[in-house]
Amino acid sequence: MKNVLFIVYYFPPMGGSGVQRPLKFAKYLREFGWNPIILCPEPGAYQFFDDSLEKELSNLDIEINRVKANTPFHKFGIVKKQTGLVTGMLSKILRPISRKVYFPDNKRAWIGPAVQKGKELIDDKKIDLIFSTAPPFSNHIIAQNLSELTDIPYVLDYRDLFTGNHFEEHENKSRKLKKKAIEREWLKDSSGVVVLDRFAGDKIQEVLSSDSLNIEIISHGFDQEDFDSHRNALLDYKSGKINWLYSGLFYEANQPDIFLNGLNELFIKKPELRQKTHLHFQGGLDSRIKKLISNLGFEDMVSNYGYLSHDVSVSNIQNADILWMISNFSENLKQIKSGKLFEYIGTKNPILGLVHPGEASKLLDDYKGGFHAAPDNIYDVTNTLEEVYELWAKGKIPKASTEFTEMYERKSLTNKLSLFFDKVVENAQV
């Protein structure tokens, strides 16, 4: 059994989508010959904590090393403080301030403690490989520093782009150049890079144009055990209606307005459909969205569950009739940004994706049980919604492809990661 040092910031008891990928890799790696040793910070202040993920982790018997970090989220001795949802105008104000003050991100103060503890672990154990998953991208600096100190190869996992990040489209030229310079360094020294899709791989390769990177594509996915073992649904299912469900948070570019307004346009055209509709939201709605729902007169047809633990949210998506998502980033961003799409796929339920043409729309086509419409075209959204209602009334909503769905199961994806780890280590020993 080979040992891999996992450098990860978002980890249980933290909740949310950023936790899922490293947790599920760690869960299954030992089945494929790799023992994960986790290096992460104490939780500090964070939006949400998830007892179900913490329980899942405790049942795995994985070695976890938590270090004290001096980030803004760990000041004043705060440990595991839930901060709730930060969206809307407050988010727009805080994010650019944070970018100006901190580089590469506001988690940089955990680099020093992590390198110190990581070096102790490497001295004490036989570590064969270092694996860093980001964001935050401070993690990649930790991996690079540890590799320089120990000559152990490292693999970088990109859940988001660093250079060309979709949340930082308006950053100044100086910061862009600074980011590209530091990214070149950690890429140049790396032994492998894991990305979600080919678009991300090509963009990261452009940063290091002079050398060819060892890139492996491993998408987000779903854990079949989550679907098999939990029956904790809180969904207030409305019989005789289409029960739509949106799972997750809404970010700056991804808001529910066009979906809600598209429905409203459809109801104006066909008023009888309003009585056949119920909308479920899990993850949290801010005051602006609640006001929009009120202005449209939708309050009686909306259930808002707020943030739910992962086991409950998975049960809910299994029990809804149709799942929907939106990804309204630039059309030039062909990446599949939404991890929730893959958990949706795990349900085999119908999915509506409000997405630009690209990887996500192709995925929905291949899924067979998917619909998609442009996230910035209300006519397209309204027409697609009308199509969905017509098919539903006739009992002709298309069925998902089971063969396609199985490609995104977490255990299978982890096996792919383990094989990549094997090749990296073999190449390093040559």
Side-chain angles (χ1 to χ4, degrees), residues 267-286:
F267 296 159
I268 292 171
K269 182 179 179 181
K270 296 185 175 182
E272 70 277 10
L273 294 182
R274 191 188 188 286
Q275 303 305 316
K276 298 179 179 179
T277 302
H278 197 80
L279 309 177
H280 303 266
F281 294 90
Q282 59 184 28
L285 299 178
D286 64 23

Side-chain angles (χ1 to χ4, degrees), residues 123-176:
D123 289 343
D124 186 51
K125 305 173 186 294
K126 185 183 182 302
I127 302 294
D128 299 278
L129 185 67
I130 299 166
F131 176 72
S132 165
T133 181
F137 289 94
S138 291
N139 291 358
H140 287 353
I141 296 176
I142 295 166
Q144 181 187 28
N145 288 351
L146 285 173
S147 181
E148 287 177 352
L149 291 170
T150 63
D151 290 327
I152 294 173
Y154 65 91
V155 169
L156 304 174
D157 179 44
Y158 280 76
R159 304 191 313 277
D160 285 321
L161 295 175
F162 182 58
T163 299
N165 185 282
H166 57 289
F167 282 124
E168 301 185 1
E169 291 180 322
H170 305 296
E171 61 189 352
N172 60 48
K173 184 178 180 180
S174 174
R175 182 177 169 85
K176 286 181 179 179

Side-chain angles (χ1 to χ4, degrees), residues 325 336 341 345 349-353 355-373 384 387 398-402 404-405 408:
M325 57 156 291
I336 303 173
L341 177 55
I345 285 172
N349 287 339
I351 301 168
L352 170 62
V355 296
H356 293 293
E359 293 289 339
S361 62
K362 183 180 183 300
L363 192 78
L364 287 166
D365 288 336
D366 294 341
Y367 177 62
K368 305 300 183 188
F371 303 85
H372 51 83
T384 303
E387 177 190 359
K399 302 292 184 183
S401 165
T402 299
F404 176 80
T405 299
Y408 297 98

Side-chain angles (χ1 to χ4, degrees), residues 189-371:
D189 295 339
S190 71
S191 294
V193 175
V194 179
V195 296
L196 298 178
D197 50 43
R198 173 50 57 193
F199 176 85
D202 290 344
K203 286 295 181 182
I204 292 167
Q205 180 63 73
E206 287 176 8
V207 176
L208 195 69
S209 55
S210 59
D211 297 294
S212 179
L213 289 168
N214 181 20
I215 295 178
E216 184 74 13
I217 299 172
I218 302 178
S219 73
H220 285 312
F222 68 93
D223 188 351
Q224 188 60 49
E225 284 193 1
D226 290 340
F227 293 92
D228 294 340
S229 61
H230 297 300
R231 294 292 181 268
N232 300 325
L234 292 178
L235 194 78
D236 185 16
Y237 189 89
K238 307 296 182 182
S239 297
K241 301 186 178 186
I242 293 186
N243 288 259
W244 295 88
L245 186 145
Y246 180 93
S247 182
L249 305 177
F250 289 105
Y251 297 100
E252 289 176 28
N254 295 326
Q255 294 289 316
D257 300 45
I258 195 163
F259 175 81
L260 295 172
N261 287 318
L263 272 179
N264 192 52
E265 290 294 319
L266 181 59
F267 296 159
I268 292 171
K269 182 179 179 181
K270 296 185 175 182
E272 70 277 10
L273 294 182
R274 191 188 188 286
Q275 303 305 316
K276 298 179 179 179
T277 302
H278 197 80
L279 309 177
H280 303 266
F281 294 90
Q282 59 184 28
L285 299 178
D286 64 23
S287 58
R288 190 201 66 80
I289 298 172
K290 290 177 182 177
K291 184 177 180 180
L292 173 61
I293 289 170
S294 176
N295 290 342
L296 291 171
F298 283 5
E299 288 175 300
D300 64 325
M301 52 182 277
V302 169
S303 294
N304 174 27
Y305 304 100
Y307 180 82
L308 298 174
S309 62
H310 185 247
D311 58 343
V312 175
S313 68
V314 165
S315 295
N316 281 351
I317 63 175
Q318 291 180 86
N319 284 277
D321 294 316
I322 304 180
L323 308 167
W324 75 276
M325 57 156 291
I326 181 167
S327 183
N328 192 26
F329 299 112
S330 167
E331 289 189 63
N332 296 324
L333 185 76
K334 304 297 184 182
Q335 233 184 330
I336 303 173
K337 290 307 305 161
S338 181
K340 73 168 64 66
L341 177 55
F342 295 90
E343 285 210 320
Y344 283 5
I345 285 172
T347 69
K348 301 183 180 67
N349 287 339
I351 301 168
L352 170 62
L354 306 185
V355 296
H356 293 293
E359 293 289 339
S361 62
K362 183 180 183 300
L363 192 78
L364 287 166
D365 288 336
D366 294 341
Y367 177 62
K368 305 300 183 188
F371 303 85

Side-chain angles (χ1 to χ4, degrees), residues 4-151:
V4 53
L5 181 64
F6 254 54
I7 300 168
V8 55
Y9 186 93
Y10 300 114
F11 210 63
M14 293 178 175
S17 58
V19 174
Q20 298 294 323
R21 186 172 173 88
L23 173 62
K24 299 303 184 178
F25 281 154
K27 176 179 180 178
Y28 289 116
L29 266 173
R30 282 184 294 191
E31 295 187 27
F32 305 106
W34 283 89
N35 176 49
I37 296 172
I38 309 299
L39 176 60
C40 61
E42 293 178 347
Y46 187 61
Q47 283 184 317
F48 304 110
F49 293 93
D50 193 320
D51 291 338
S52 70
L53 295 179
E54 188 172 18
K55 181 179 179 181
E56 180 178 2
L57 178 61
S58 67
N59 291 333
L60 297 180
D61 191 29
I62 292 173
E63 180 180 341
I64 302 170
N65 300 273
R66 301 187 188 272
V67 301
K68 290 184 178 180
N70 195 33
T71 76
F73 309 94
H74 295 84
K75 298 289 188 180
F76 315 116
I78 293 173
V79 175
K80 197 177 177 181
K81 180 180 179 181
Q82 190 152 302
T83 59
L85 191 63
V86 180
T87 60
M89 187 56 67
L90 182 58
S91 176
K92 290 182 180 180
I93 293 171
L94 293 178
R95 185 172 285 129
I97 292 173
S98 178
R99 289 186 198 126
K100 287 183 179 180
V101 174
Y102 302 105
F103 185 84
D105 47 52
N106 56 21
K107 313 301 190 302
R108 69 181 187 185
W110 102 282
I111 294 174
V115 170
Q116 180 179 347
K117 182 63 178 179
K119 180 63 165 56
E120 292 174 7
L121 291 170
I122 291 170
D123 289 343
D124 186 51
K125 305 173 186 294
K126 185 183 182 302
I127 302 294
D128 299 278
L129 185 67
I130 299 166
F131 176 72
S132 165
T133 181
F137 289 94
S138 291
N139 291 358
H140 287 353
I141 296 176
I142 295 166
Q144 181 187 28
N145 288 351
L146 285 173
S147 181
E148 287 177 352
L149 291 170
T150 63
D151 290 327

